Amino acid sequence: MGLAVCVGCGETKEGAFDVCDGCGLDPARGGTDRMLQARSLWLSERFFSERELVELGRKLSTGEPVAYDTGQLSRLVDELKTQKLPVISQASPGCSIVTWSLLGMLLALAAGLAYLYGTWKH
Ligand SMILES: [Zn+2]
C-alpha cells in the first residue's frame, strides 16, 4: 500500500481507500460516489511522490484549492466502474498471514505423513 492523502482533510494515510484517521472519511463506503473514490485514488503515490502528497495534503488541510486533473479523474472513474469494489484487493497483510500459516500447516502435515510412511516401511 502506498501513501495517500485524504480528500476531505488532507491527512496522510496508508492507502487511497483507507478510512481517514483525521476526519473519518471512508472512500470505499462512498458506494456509488465514484468521483470521491477517483479523487482518493488520484491523491496517492500512484500519481504523486511522497513530497508532493504531503504538499497537497497541506493545501487541503488549510483549505487552499487543489487543482484536480479532471482528465485523469474521469479516466479513474471509468477504471473504477469496471471494478466491483475499489482496489482494496491488493492482499492485506492479514490475508497473506492466513495464507502462509495454512501453507505451513500443509507442509507440517506432509512431513508428518512422510515420516509415518517411512516408519511403516521398516
Ligand atoms: Zn480526512
Side-chain angles (χ1 to χ4, degrees), residues 36-51:
L36 171 69
Q37 290 162 2
R39 285 209 308 264
S40 304
L41 206 55
W42 188 69
L43 285 175
S44 73
E45 270 193 324
R46 188 167 152 189
F47 294 96
F48 297 101
S49 70
E50 193 177 325
R51 201 176 51 80

Side-chain angles (χ1 to χ4, degrees), residues 5-13 19-26:
V5 168
C6 172
V7 298
C9 67
E11 185 90 13
T12 50
K13 51 186 187 171
V19 182
C20 173
D21 287 336
C23 69
L25 183 76
D26 184 353

Side-chain angles (χ1 to χ4, degrees), residues 15-95:
F17 292 111
D18 275 17
V19 182
C20 173
D21 287 336
C23 69
L25 183 76
D26 184 353
R29 280 196 199 284
T32 50
D33 192 353
R34 302 268 188 234
M35 195 41 103
L36 171 69
Q37 290 162 2
R39 285 209 308 264
S40 304
L41 206 55
W42 188 69
L43 285 175
S44 73
E45 270 193 324
R46 188 167 152 189
F47 294 96
F48 297 101
S49 70
E50 193 177 325
R51 201 176 51 80
E52 287 170 316
L53 282 174
V54 170
E55 174 62 18
L56 281 165
R58 194 193 57 77
K59 278 190 177 178
L60 279 165
S61 65
T62 55
E64 266 182 73
V66 170
Y68 286 101
D69 182 336
T70 45
Q72 200 73 259
L73 283 183
S74 58
R75 260 194 299 279
L76 283 171
V77 168
D78 282 344
E79 187 184 317
L80 287 164
K81 273 185 199 155
T82 60
Q83 293 168 348
K84 277 244 165 81
L85 276 172
V87 249
I88 326 168
S89 51
Q90 282 153 347
S92 61
C95 220

